[in-house]
Amino acid sequence: NAGVTQTPKFQVLKTGQSMTLQCAQDMNHNSMYWYRQDPGMGLRLIYYSASEGTTDKGEVPNGYNVSRLNKREFSLRLESAAPSQTSVYFCASRGTGTAINQPQHFGDGTRLSIL
Amino acid sequence: DAKTTQPTSMDCAEGRAANLPCNHSTISGNEYVYWYRQIHSQGPQYIIHGLKNNETNEMASLIITEDRKSSTLILPHATLRDTAVYYCIASQAAGNKLTFGGGTRVLVKP
């Protein structure tokens, strides 16, 4: 019963390096989301994908790109990492079947430090 | 999404009911009230949601006032493992984002 799986769990990067955060869900959900959480703050939406083949910007998209690889997987890419992107990144998914008020389900996060 | 207002923190005794208030005075008719919690920097955990009727599940009960301007999450018998930050969110059912505010930091004490 995996739910939403994020890899890696921890990562340290140098400024200017690139990396991709991976997210996969096994609940057959249509919608997927990427959030970031800075210390002592609530989550902020970076990008989301309402369905396979679509992506849209959230509240804080600058410096990030996303790919909805298939229905299960939604990746987040940092092309040139900056110290301001040091944060905990959470992926979530949501089913959008017959009940339109389905909640989002979250992974355990990727803790990213950029030096 | 409508703005929600929650107390910054609260304590409660182990074994007692914990009542967490939330104000959402500008909530619109198609916005649901969702409750999540986050335990020690883990991913947010869904608790319960409702539109206008009171709801109950295995984790908690949600009481929504008749005018829908406020709600209360009730943890019936708080345990130490319920220590967490609790978020109240008003969101459209078909919306594609959740707006997390500061939440209420709940400390359950023995």
Side-chain angles (χ1 to χ4, degrees):
Chain A
N1 192 18
V4 178
T5 302
Q6 294 184 236
T7 55
K9 295 190 186 305
F10 302 93
Q11 185 70 48
V12 179
L13 293 178
K14 294 181 180 179
T15 297
Q17 287 186 315
S18 62
M19 82 160 294
T20 300
L21 281 62
Q22 306 287 353
C23 175
Q25 52 92 9
D26 63 1
M27 296 175 282
N28 200 35
H29 285 171
N30 288 322
S31 299
M32 297 185 73
Y33 310 80
W34 276 106
Y35 293 85
R36 62 178 285 176
Q37 185 175 33
D38 299 326
M41 299 183 66
L43 280 70
R44 293 183 293 169
L45 183 67
I46 305 171
Y47 271 94
Y48 66 96
S49 171
S51 61
E52 187 178 355
T54 69
T55 60
D56 286 286
K57 295 178 180 179
E59 181 184 356
V60 288
N62 291 343
Y64 305 95
N65 287 301
V66 290
S67 295
R68 182 74 183 267
L69 304 171
N70 47 56
K71 191 171 186 178
R72 289 187 64 248
E73 298 172 289
F74 189 37
S75 63
L76 178 71
R77 182 161 178 85
L78 287 70
E79 291 291 351
S80 179
S84 60
Q85 295 177 304
T86 293
S87 190
V88 182
Y89 291 83
F90 290 103
C91 177
S93 70
R94 184 172 78 99
T96 52
T98 54
I100 60 174
N101 57 346
Q102 293 300 302
Q104 293 184 20
H105 297 271
F106 288 80
D108 286 334
T110 293
R111 282 146 184 81
L112 182 61
S113 292
I114 299 164
L115 307 177
Chain B
D1 295 347
K3 178 178 168 58
T4 61
T5 304
Q6 301 177 250
T8 303
S9 64
M10 61 184 295
D11 296 344
C12 67
E14 186 180 20
R16 304 292 294 269
N19 295 298
L20 282 63
C22 179
N23 273 308
H24 31 80
S25 58
T26 62
I27 195 169
S28 61
N30 62 350
E31 287 184 313
Y32 285 72
V33 178
Y34 293 84
W35 282 85
Y36 285 78
R37 71 181 182 184
Q38 191 170 25
I39 298 173
H40 194 54
S41 298
Q42 295 176 14
Q45 178 188 23
Y46 165 75
I47 302 173
I48 198 168
H49 73 282
L51 183 63
K52 51 185 176 182
N53 297 324
N54 298 337
E55 302 287 346
T56 295
N57 63 19
E58 65 279 3
M59 291 182 67
S61 294
L62 174 61
I63 308 298
I64 302 174
T65 57
E66 191 169 343
D67 63 8
R68 302 211 324 123
K69 293 185 177 181
S70 65
S71 60
T72 301
L73 179 75
I74 301 172
L75 307 177
H77 304 285
T79 70
L80 300 180
R81 288 180 295 179
D82 291 323
T83 291
V85 178
Y86 287 76
Y87 296 99
C88 168
I89 300 165
S91 178
Q92 292 181 5
N96 280 308
K97 69 179 182 72
L98 297 174
T99 300
F100 286 79
T104 297
R105 189 171 298 274
V106 174
L107 177 61
V108 180
K109 296 182 176 180

